[in-house]
């Protein structure tokens, strides 16, 4: 993958409907904040605190995550669609197993 | 449960009406902020302060809590409905014993 | 009381009109911010500062307090009505003696 | 006085028109922010900084002060009208001598 | 002068048109933010930083300053009109010589 | 290049459509936040944290970056069009290889 | 120049159109944020951080700068028009050589 996100940003590949159903997790269209599932493709170095310390993100490449549907910026790379979002604010949880 | 919340986020299973009545706590529909009861299913690692310290959440798995009704994001896992919310901002209190 | 507030939250039992008059303090209906009197039922552990220190609340169980009328969330426990509010932002003063 | 303000709050007794004129200070009705004069009745312990330090207020009991007219909350105690306001944000100056 | 400003507040006596022209500085009526000239009459002890340090103001009694026209609160003392404003936010510059 | 950006600002030369297509990255017109590609021409010294530390930017001269389309200020230098933007807030990622 | 700016403020003399063209930099009227060129006439002592440290400005007297067109306050001194603005927020870049 030839895109390196900056700061606390994360590149996500949204999962298709059929992929999502396999994990047993369904995010209803009627949900208040419309979350979505995706795979983490690339992770930025993290946010810099006012104290100067850098906070690493809690997600890593390959994680399947739930994120806010209307968050971030869509980018198309080699015909595939990705989303660049804020890994602290816009990713809600990691789907395990 | 195969969902791991990030930061200060908490996964909640909302309680049905009959379950809520047993505890003797009723949250009226006419309430100004419409609180709701639920059981804590999973807890994130906590919020990172500007000083770099991580603040653990005050709730733990299994706690019954009162939370703001319109807070958070609905997620359906294996047919069950959950809510992912901010454990510091959206949970008001723990219901004991 | 089986509700334990989180953070800087406080559980208040609003005082009835006749109880309020006894203390000699009257909060007029025409007041700009509509304050109200109540008794402190339970107190959270306090707010965590960015430095990591926890600030204990200035009120304790049993205090009679003046609080902002439209603040907080109403909760009904065993038929009694309570309010959960922010003990730093919403409580203005303690009524003494 | 049986009301103890919390945090940076201050209890003020607004001065009547005739009392104000004696000091030679007149706050015109046409003023942009409509300041008002009053006597400090009770002072809270002060605001807690993010570093954990408490900042004492610059006013003390008995001071005559100029404060913003629309600030604070009106409270009636034993038939007298008082105002509880933020001693840092809402009090502009102390009237001396 | 018998008014002592609090915090970072400053008491200003606005200069009349003829006084302003002498300094060679004219603030046009068509200016975007409408600045005004005045003389510093009294200066507060300064703003308290989150670290607990107090920041002294950069103006002192007797300085002629340019300040934002719509800032602050008008006060009339012994028949003279003054303005109490925020010495950090509302004063733009000192007029020298 | 004779323009030196201040603080966390970065001077960007937007890439033409044909240049963008070569990298295999296409930013669709229908994207929610309309990102755009460009080359970094000059980089400011970085943002100063409240602790006094300066945070260097994560991009350097010559980097190809994805940035928010409506961010920043357009400047024309010697007939060429550039954009000056906030290198932390407005640049999303570096395009590698 | 007899005006001394306070804090992070800077006094700017806007450049006339003909002066601007000589540097080869043209700021189009259709620009989204309408930047403008000017010469730095006087520089304030800088902003005070919450830690108590003072941050010196990155511009100095005599610099030619690009600044946001609608920023700041117009002041006329001895018949000449100047602008007082925030040297950190409103100045984008220094024009060199």
């Amino acid at each position: 993958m030839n895109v390196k996100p900056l700061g606390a940003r994360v590149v996500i590949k949204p999962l298709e409907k059929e992929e999502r159903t396999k994990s047993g997790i369904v995010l209803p269209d009627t949900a208040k904040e419309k979350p979505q599932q995706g795979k983490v493709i690339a992770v930025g170095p993290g946010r810099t605190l006012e104290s100067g310390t850098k906070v690493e993100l809690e997600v890593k490449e390959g994680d399947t995550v739930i994120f806010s549907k209307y968050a971030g910026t869509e980018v198309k790379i080699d015909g595939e669609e990705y989303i660049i979002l804020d890994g602290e604010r816009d990713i809600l949880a990691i789907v395990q197993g």
Side-chain angles (χ1 to χ4, degrees), chain A:
Chain A
M1 168 72 184
N2 58 352
V3 170
K4 185 185 141 201
L6 299 185
R9 290 184 186 85
V10 170
V11 179
I12 299 277
K13 186 161 170 28
L15 292 184
E16 300 301 320
K17 248 205 173 110
E18 48 273 40
E19 293 176 89
R20 277 181 277 167
T21 321
K22 275 186 290 184
S23 71
I25 299 180
V26 180
L27 306 170
D29 284 351
T30 58
K32 280 173 294 187
E33 263 193 37
K34 306 238 174 196
Q36 204 172 354
Q37 282 186 72
K39 196 162 226 77
V40 173
I41 301 299
V43 176
R47 180 170 53 107
T48 303
L49 299 174
E50 286 299 328
S51 58
T53 318
K54 192 150 279 188
V55 189
E56 279 187 42
L57 286 157
E58 297 176 33
V59 297
K60 58 175 198 303
E61 222 184 289
D63 282 349
T64 300
V65 296
I66 299 175
F67 61 93
S68 299
K69 202 175 190 170
Y70 295 124
T73 304
E74 292 172 3
V75 185
K76 209 169 222 173
I77 307 176
D78 297 323
E80 300 264 348
E81 191 180 296
Y82 297 92
I83 292 170
I84 303 177
L85 44 68
D86 185 314
E88 287 187 328
R89 189 193 55 201
D90 302 330
I91 301 183
L92 306 175
I94 301 174
V95 179
Q96 289 172 318

